[in-house]
Amino acid sequence: MATKVTAPSVLARKGGSKLKMVTAYDAPTAQIADRAGADIILVGDSVANVVLGYDDTLAVTVDVMIHHTAAVTRMKPHSLVVGDMPWLSYHSSTEETVHNAGRFVQEGGAGAVKLEGGRKRLDMIHAVLDAEIPVMGHLGLTPQSVHAMGGYRVQGKEAHAAYELISDAHALSDAGVFAIVLEGVPDTVAEIVTNEIEAPTIGIGAGADCDGQVLVFHDVTGLGAGEYLPKFVKQYAHLADDAVTALEEFFSDVESGAFPSEAETYHMPAESAEILRNLSNPSDHLMADEAMEH
Ligand code: KIV
């Protein structure tokens, strides 16, 4: 039986076999991710655009994220479940940040939380770690900063910006995060960070040198509703197309009468069927019974 993955066991994988992470947002996607051997399941705030139809991740609240995190952890995956702290849930005060992070563990059953940002989030990261909750960092293209970044753009392309990003990675790793997601950064930057810090790096659009890779479940499997796929996504299946074909066949069987067949039909015992058929009009019979009772 596969052993449960934990934040310390992820940290211990630094420089070892590659870490495999994927998002999941509900019980079936969690089960599939776990069966496929995910080390880490991220209940990402990407649930907002991927599943709930929003344009960005900013609309989801702690309540929504915990609703989805709990659905994932109810499947008791061997993978470590990381709950993604949504925008504004770790920005105001350390007290509120610890309270919100604690809800992911107490109500959502998560084994860790992830939050976006570098040195300017260090106080919050220290506070959550002090509460014994493992933290995963997230640097580079941080989707919750979409307005501040002026769109979803690769980060750290210029030497100065790259230097700042590398300094952020050092600060987070020194603070004690057990892993850092590097999203949308040049491969050279990811390589330098990976070689220099103690925490494992998990890349998404960050090249091949990271300690692990993550993709969004619906992107990898082709289950997504949108047409647009970022350059860094590799699609390994086309489940949405398969689902459309399955439903088209179902509807055509309904039209032709081929569904339901004998195999999908319940029967009553022959005796009961015969009695029932002999009652020409069951409601007449009921009225006669009622008349006799009065
Ligand atoms: O929310 C999310 O899906 C993420 C991953 C893309 C890392 O943060």
Short mmCIF file of all heavy atoms in Angstrom, two decimals, residues 21 23 25 42-47 57 84 114 116 138 143 181 183 204 214-216, ligand 1:
data_model
loop_
_atom_site.label_atom_id
_atom_site.label_comp_id
_atom_site.label_asym_id
_atom_site.label_seq_id
_atom_site.Cartn_x
_atom_site.Cartn_y
_atom_site.Cartn_z
N MET A 21 2.70 16.75 -9.14
CA MET A 21 1.57 17.45 -8.50
C MET A 21 0.53 17.79 -9.57
O MET A 21 0.87 18.09 -10.72
CB MET A 21 2.11 18.73 -7.83
CG MET A 21 1.08 19.66 -7.25
SD MET A 21 1.85 20.75 -6.00
CE MET A 21 1.38 22.35 -6.58
N THR A 23 -3.74 19.54 -9.85
CA THR A 23 -4.87 20.09 -9.11
C THR A 23 -6.01 19.08 -9.10
O THR A 23 -6.09 18.20 -9.96
CB THR A 23 -5.40 21.40 -9.74
OG1 THR A 23 -5.93 21.10 -11.03
CG2 THR A 23 -4.31 22.45 -9.85
N TYR A 25 -10.40 19.21 -7.56
CA TYR A 25 -11.35 20.12 -6.93
C TYR A 25 -12.55 19.41 -6.30
O TYR A 25 -13.41 20.06 -5.73
CB TYR A 25 -11.88 21.14 -7.96
CG TYR A 25 -10.78 21.77 -8.79
CD1 TYR A 25 -10.56 21.38 -10.10
CD2 TYR A 25 -9.96 22.74 -8.24
CE1 TYR A 25 -9.56 21.96 -10.87
CE2 TYR A 25 -8.94 23.32 -8.99
CZ TYR A 25 -8.75 22.93 -10.29
OH TYR A 25 -7.75 23.50 -11.05
N LEU A 42 -3.18 19.59 -5.33
CA LEU A 42 -3.41 20.99 -4.97
C LEU A 42 -4.87 21.32 -5.24
O LEU A 42 -5.33 21.21 -6.38
CB LEU A 42 -2.52 21.91 -5.82
CG LEU A 42 -2.83 23.41 -5.67
CD1 LEU A 42 -2.48 23.90 -4.27
CD2 LEU A 42 -2.07 24.23 -6.72
N VAL A 43 -5.59 21.69 -4.18
CA VAL A 43 -6.94 22.22 -4.39
C VAL A 43 -6.73 23.70 -4.69
O VAL A 43 -6.69 24.55 -3.80
CB VAL A 43 -7.84 21.99 -3.16
CG1 VAL A 43 -9.28 22.38 -3.50
CG2 VAL A 43 -7.78 20.54 -2.71
N GLY A 44 -6.50 23.97 -5.97
CA GLY A 44 -6.09 25.30 -6.40
C GLY A 44 -7.25 26.28 -6.44
O GLY A 44 -8.40 25.89 -6.68
N ASP A 45 -6.92 27.56 -6.26
CA ASP A 45 -7.97 28.57 -6.42
C ASP A 45 -8.34 28.70 -7.91
O ASP A 45 -9.28 29.40 -8.28
CB ASP A 45 -7.59 29.91 -5.80
CG ASP A 45 -6.36 30.54 -6.42
OD1 ASP A 45 -5.72 29.89 -7.28
OD2 ASP A 45 -6.04 31.69 -6.06
N SER A 46 -7.60 27.97 -8.77
CA SER A 46 -7.98 27.87 -10.18
C SER A 46 -9.35 27.20 -10.32
O SER A 46 -9.94 27.21 -11.40
CB SER A 46 -6.93 27.09 -10.97
OG SER A 46 -6.66 25.85 -10.36
N VAL A 47 -9.87 26.64 -9.22
CA VAL A 47 -11.26 26.14 -9.23
C VAL A 47 -12.19 27.24 -9.75
O VAL A 47 -13.22 26.95 -10.39
CB VAL A 47 -11.70 25.66 -7.81
CG1 VAL A 47 -11.83 26.82 -6.84
CG2 VAL A 47 -13.00 24.87 -7.87
N THR A 57 -9.10 34.16 -10.67
CA THR A 57 -9.19 33.43 -9.39
C THR A 57 -9.66 34.30 -8.23
O THR A 57 -9.78 33.82 -7.10
CB THR A 57 -7.80 32.84 -9.02
OG1 THR A 57 -6.87 33.92 -8.90
CG2 THR A 57 -7.31 31.85 -10.05
N ASP A 84 -5.30 25.85 -1.31
CA ASP A 84 -4.80 27.12 -1.83
C ASP A 84 -5.52 28.28 -1.13
O ASP A 84 -6.75 28.40 -1.24
CB ASP A 84 -5.11 27.17 -3.34
CG ASP A 84 -4.10 27.98 -4.10
OD1 ASP A 84 -3.18 28.52 -3.49
OD2 ASP A 84 -4.24 28.04 -5.35
N LYS A 114 -1.11 26.67 0.58
CA LYS A 114 -0.23 27.39 -0.34
C LYS A 114 -0.65 28.85 -0.36
O LYS A 114 -1.86 29.14 -0.31
CB LYS A 114 -0.33 26.81 -1.76
CG LYS A 114 0.45 27.61 -2.80
CD LYS A 114 0.55 26.90 -4.13
CE LYS A 114 -0.61 27.12 -5.06
NZ LYS A 114 -0.89 28.54 -5.41
N GLU A 116 0.50 32.81 -2.25
CA GLU A 116 1.29 33.46 -3.29
C GLU A 116 2.10 34.62 -2.71
O GLU A 116 1.62 35.32 -1.82
CB GLU A 116 0.37 33.99 -4.41
CG GLU A 116 -0.40 32.89 -5.12
CD GLU A 116 -1.28 33.42 -6.25
OE1 GLU A 116 -1.27 34.64 -6.54
OE2 GLU A 116 -2.01 32.60 -6.85
N HIS A 138 4.58 30.26 -3.59
CA HIS A 138 4.20 30.36 -5.01
C HIS A 138 4.76 31.68 -5.53
O HIS A 138 4.34 32.75 -5.08
CB HIS A 138 2.67 30.31 -5.12
CG HIS A 138 2.15 30.26 -6.53
ND1 HIS A 138 0.86 29.83 -6.82
CD2 HIS A 138 2.70 30.58 -7.73
CE1 HIS A 138 0.66 29.89 -8.13
NE2 HIS A 138 1.77 30.35 -8.70
N PRO A 143 -1.28 34.31 -10.12
CA PRO A 143 -2.54 34.75 -10.73
C PRO A 143 -3.35 35.73 -9.88
O PRO A 143 -4.11 36.53 -10.43
CB PRO A 143 -3.30 33.45 -10.97
CG PRO A 143 -2.22 32.41 -11.09
CD PRO A 143 -1.15 32.84 -10.14
N VAL A 181 6.10 26.65 -5.57
CA VAL A 181 5.66 26.60 -6.97
C VAL A 181 6.31 27.77 -7.70
O VAL A 181 6.28 28.91 -7.22
CB VAL A 181 4.12 26.71 -7.07
CG1 VAL A 181 3.68 26.93 -8.51
CG2 VAL A 181 3.45 25.46 -6.49
N GLU A 183 5.85 29.60 -11.15
CA GLU A 183 4.92 29.64 -12.29
C GLU A 183 5.34 30.73 -13.27
O GLU A 183 5.63 31.87 -12.88
CB GLU A 183 3.48 29.91 -11.79
CG GLU A 183 2.50 30.02 -12.96
CD GLU A 183 1.03 29.98 -12.53
OE1 GLU A 183 0.74 29.82 -11.33
OE2 GLU A 183 0.17 30.11 -13.43
N ILE A 204 5.53 25.19 -13.13
CA ILE A 204 4.41 25.21 -14.08
C ILE A 204 4.77 26.35 -15.06
O ILE A 204 4.75 27.52 -14.69
CB ILE A 204 3.04 25.38 -13.39
CG1 ILE A 204 1.92 25.54 -14.42
CG2 ILE A 204 3.01 26.50 -12.35
CD1 ILE A 204 0.51 25.32 -13.87
N VAL A 214 3.80 20.67 -11.95
CA VAL A 214 2.36 20.67 -11.66
C VAL A 214 1.61 21.17 -12.88
O VAL A 214 2.09 22.04 -13.61
CB VAL A 214 2.02 21.56 -10.43
CG1 VAL A 214 2.54 22.98 -10.57
CG2 VAL A 214 0.50 21.59 -10.15
N LEU A 215 0.43 20.60 -13.12
CA LEU A 215 -0.49 21.13 -14.13
C LEU A 215 -1.90 21.07 -13.57
O LEU A 215 -2.17 20.36 -12.58
CB LEU A 215 -0.41 20.33 -15.44
CG LEU A 215 0.79 20.61 -16.37
CD1 LEU A 215 0.78 19.67 -17.57
CD2 LEU A 215 0.85 22.07 -16.84
N VAL A 216 -2.79 21.79 -14.21
CA VAL A 216 -4.20 21.79 -13.83
C VAL A 216 -4.86 20.53 -14.41
O VAL A 216 -4.68 20.21 -15.60
CB VAL A 216 -4.88 23.08 -14.35
CG1 VAL A 216 -6.40 22.98 -14.31
CG2 VAL A 216 -4.41 24.29 -13.54
O1 KIV B 1 -4.56 27.36 -8.46
C1 KIV B 1 -3.78 26.67 -9.12
O2 KIV B 1 -4.18 25.81 -9.93
C2 KIV B 1 -2.36 26.89 -8.96
C3 KIV B 1 -1.43 26.09 -9.79
C4 KIV B 1 -1.48 26.54 -11.19
C5 KIV B 1 -0.06 26.06 -9.27
O3 KIV B 1 -1.96 27.69 -8.16
#
